[in-house]
Amino acid sequence: MQTYKTIIEPFRIKMVEAIQVTTAEQRESHLKKAYYNPFLLEAKDVMIDFLTDSGTSAMSSEQWAGMMRGDESYAGATSWHRMRNEINELTGFEYILPTHQGRAAERILYGYLGGKGKTFISNTHFDTTRANIEYSGAEAIDIVIPEGTQPSTEHPFKGNIDTEKLEKLILEKGKENIGAVILTVTNNSGGGQPVSMQNAKKVKEICKKYSVLFILDCCRIAENAYFIKHREKGFEKKTYREIAQEMFALTDGAIMSAKKDALVNMGGFLVLKDKILAAECKNKLIITEGYATYGGLSGRDMEAIAIGLQEVFEPAYLEYRIKSTQYLGEKLKELGVPLIWPIGGHAVYLDAKDFYPNIPVHEYPGQALVCELYLKGGIRAVEIGSVMFGKYNENKKLIPSPMELVRLAIPRRVYTQSHIEYVVEVIADLWNNREKVKGVRIIEEPLFLRHFTAKFERIM
Ligand code: F0G
């Protein structure tokens, strides 16, 4: 079969949403009004929005048709059964709890399993996962393999958990004190890097040995399956769906933010093997989310999730998805732009410390880069560095984050090749003019999660 280099978007466009094209002067004024924090921009003033891949997917015509069929009955809706059967078939789990998004499932499960004295262990806990665990009084420990924190080290599965450390930690903390081991696939906070099946199997073995619960944070499970099929021996002939099913089968349950690989704008679920644990969680679900057959979702949302979970495993879609993310990363690498390598599934992570070596970390090179991306090209991205994770010591001096990254997260099925070419051009321009850029200073910040609302000014 003849294969061509160009990856076409495996869809055509039926409905369009206008992008407001802005001038550099307008953007300067918008960013100034937003105190140099792109979170405070109005979305209409953004041309290419790479803030997140969460809840920003374009739904298919099939999903929209499903929305019209949504059954809004309070109990036992047809849409519930449709989604339930789909999730059951994919994950193999009997107990399925619908939630309005991933963090609601986290609150229910980790709120129940957590509490003072408990420890949760993960390759990397996503922010909301860690927050829900810590809020319960428990501690959250990240033990990704060493390669996972080295931006340019080549490794096919940089999202893998360090299984030696895992076993040591279980012994050190005492198996009865482990709330759960959580494998995040792909590893979002570690650069969207995949986890191998071999690694998941080893985690299963250790969890079984010590009778510890093994939970999958599966919000990008289809993207992870792509990497397994193409990088891990023995999976070449399996379908993406079979690979995902094999991974689910190793675990005791999973949490999904459907806003990622279920290709919807809102939704999530919790699935469990154990009847008693599921019954406890169901009680919490009914008190805080909604009745057991809809949780935090309307019937139409459940229809869209059921269809999205089918579409996301289609080979043409997944190949386009991963290859187009890689295309952006590879183009930037060719230009010499420093970034996390290899490229992950849903995003490209720029290394702002190396991009702007002239800006010291206390002047936030990542924040300077997100500002420049917006000013030059109307592109919105997020700083994942010392603005997001930095802390102060007792003398109010910054304790910086280990890395200063900028994430370009790519919404699913939203932007085309020419949007990506445009982004490459803008970043090339920033790269060629990098010496002139100055850092920023914080002028106002809240106590927690400061990156969302902090105000900055430019250092002249
Ligand atoms: N787990 C992972 C790995 C995630 O990436 C997210 C969300 C969640 C859980 C929480 O799910 O948002 O539905 O409550 N990540 C988004 C992001 C917000 O931008 O990466 P949620």
Side-chain angles (χ1 to χ4, degrees):
M1 203 179 79
Q2 174 99 47
T3 49
Y4 295 102
K5 205 168 85 271
T6 308
I7 322 145
I8 63 161
E9 288 84 9
F11 48 80
R12 52 187 179 180
I13 298 164
K14 199 190 216 48
M15 190 192 276
V16 297
E17 188 180 1
I19 290 174
Q20 251 184 64
V21 179
T22 49
T23 62
E25 293 73 44
Q26 287 168 328
R27 292 194 291 271
E28 182 71 57
S29 144
H30 294 320
L31 193 63
K32 197 168 170 205
K33 267 193 227 140
Y35 293 95
Y36 300 92
N37 184 350
F39 273 106
L40 303 178
L41 286 167
E42 280 193 51
K44 70 170 176 52
D45 299 327
V46 174
M47 284 163 62
I48 308 275
D49 206 343
F50 282 173
L51 195 63
T52 179
D53 65 318
S54 179
T56 50
S57 300
M59 291 210 296
S60 66
S61 50
E62 280 304 311
Q63 284 177 297
W64 281 106
M67 296 284 276
M68 293 304 293
R69 281 197 304 270
D71 175 358
E72 305 301 341
S73 303
Y74 191 92
T78 312
S79 301
W80 155 249
H81 285 289
R82 177 132 199 240
M83 181 180 84
R84 196 209 161 275
N85 293 344
E86 183 55 43
I87 297 173
N88 172 256
E89 205 269 323
L90 172 65
T91 66
F93 290 109
E94 180 63 24
Y95 303 104
I96 297 166
L97 284 71
T99 61
H100 77 278
Q101 62 183 87
R103 67 197 72 181
E106 289 172 346
R107 174 178 48 78
I108 290 170
L109 183 64
Y110 305 140
Y112 178 74
L113 297 172
K116 221 173 150 35
K118 294 280 175 173
T119 298
F120 290 77
I121 309 167
S122 177
N123 42 353
T124 316
H125 294 85
F126 180 67
D127 326 1
T128 59
T129 319
R130 171 176 290 278
N132 272 296
I133 289 167
E134 290 177 351
Y135 189 73
S136 82
E139 68 172 340
I141 302 178
D142 295 337
I143 49 162
V144 73
I145 55 167
E147 292 87 342
T149 53
Q150 299 156 2
S152 52
T153 309
E154 192 80 48
H155 188 290
F157 293 102
K158 279 174 107 167
N160 282 355
I161 196 168
D162 187 329
T163 48
E164 260 175 50
K165 267 195 197 152
L166 175 63
E167 192 158 8
K168 264 198 214 134
L169 262 174
I170 294 175
L171 288 169
E172 183 191 313
K173 299 279 173 185
K175 60 181 183 169
E176 62 289 352
N177 298 320
I178 306 298
V181 174
I182 305 164
L183 204 53
T184 311
V185 300
T186 55
N187 192 25
N188 183 10
S189 311
Q193 299 292 324
V195 175
S196 70
M197 191 69 81
Q198 196 192 8
N199 191 243
K201 280 185 182 156
K202 186 73 196 164
V203 174
K204 152 97 185 170
E205 206 183 291
I206 295 169
C207 287
K208 198 167 163 210
K209 183 170 165 192
Y210 297 102
S211 304
V212 168
L213 208 63
F214 178 13
I215 300 292
L216 199 63
D217 179 337
C218 68
C219 63
R220 297 180 181 87
I221 181 92
E223 292 175 2
N224 199 75
Y226 177 92
F227 289 108
I228 290 179
K229 184 177 167 85
H230 296 277
R231 291 184 187 172
E232 195 167 350
K233 252 209 170 95
F235 292 91
E236 304 82 356
K237 295 211 165 65
K238 297 202 170 155
T239 66
Y240 298 118
R241 200 178 173 81
E242 283 165 353
I243 295 169
Q245 283 166 328
E246 195 171 325
M247 194 170 266
F248 279 118
L250 298 170
T251 70
D252 299 304
I255 277 178
M256 177 151 196
S257 165
K259 300 171 75 171
K260 285 83 168 174
D261 271 354
L263 299 170
V264 294
N265 306 119
M266 191 51 76
F269 55 81
L270 164 62
V271 290
L272 291 165
K273 197 188 268 175
D274 184 74
K275 191 176 175 179
I276 298 167
L277 179 58
E280 293 289 348
C281 289
K282 199 160 149 182
N283 286 338
K284 286 187 132 205
L285 177 84
I286 297 173
I287 296 168
T288 59
E289 282 281 295
Y291 179 61
T293 66
Y294 70 86
L297 298 169
S298 44
R300 52 183 171 269
D301 293 332
M302 295 194 279
E303 284 285 335
I305 291 172
I307 299 164
L309 285 175
Q310 285 276 341
E311 291 179 350
V312 79
F313 287 104
E314 282 168 15
Y317 162 76
L318 261 185
E319 273 156 37
Y320 138 79
R321 167 71 178 159
I322 304 296
K323 285 188 177 160
S324 57
T325 307
Q326 281 175 350
Y327 178 87
L328 171 61
E330 278 162 14
K331 284 269 164 176
L332 296 175
K333 192 167 197 260
E334 277 167 28
L335 294 169
V337 174
L339 36 75
I340 291 198
W341 190 260
I343 302 300
H346 67 294
V348 171
Y349 292 70
L350 306 179
D351 185 339
K353 218 192 268 182
D354 281 359
F355 201 106
Y356 291 137
N358 51 317
I359 304 180
V361 286
H362 66 271
E363 293 176 8
Y364 305 107
Q367 193 67 19
L369 184 51
V370 295
C371 288
E372 290 303 309
L373 280 163
Y374 179 71
L375 290 172
K376 266 278 183 284
I379 301 161
R380 179 156 69 168
V382 63
E383 191 261 15
I384 304 190
S386 293
V387 174
M388 194 179 268
F389 297 124
K391 295 200 165 86
Y392 293 114
N393 69 13
E394 56 281 7
N395 303 322
K396 260 297 233 166
K397 213 170 158 267
L398 178 78
I399 309 167
S401 149
M403 293 201 268
E404 303 295 333
L405 303 176
V406 166
R407 182 180 79 167
L408 305 167
I410 308 187
R412 294 169 182 77
R413 303 193 294 208
V414 172
Y415 294 109
T416 64
Q417 174 87 14
S418 61
H419 291 115
I420 300 293
E421 299 290 359
Y422 169 83
V423 172
V424 172
E425 232 182 292
V426 172
I427 297 174
D429 192 10
L430 293 180
W431 180 239
N432 294 333
N433 293 292
R434 59 191 183 276
E435 283 86 16
K436 297 172 204 149
V437 174
K438 300 263 175 56
V440 295
R441 175 185 302 125
I442 296 179
I443 53 172
E444 207 182 300
E445 62 181 306
L447 265 177
F448 296 104
L449 296 172
R450 65 175 181 175
H451 56 288
F452 288 125
T453 53
K455 294 178 177 172
F456 302 84
E457 67 185 9
R458 287 164 113 181
I459 296 169
M460 290 300 174

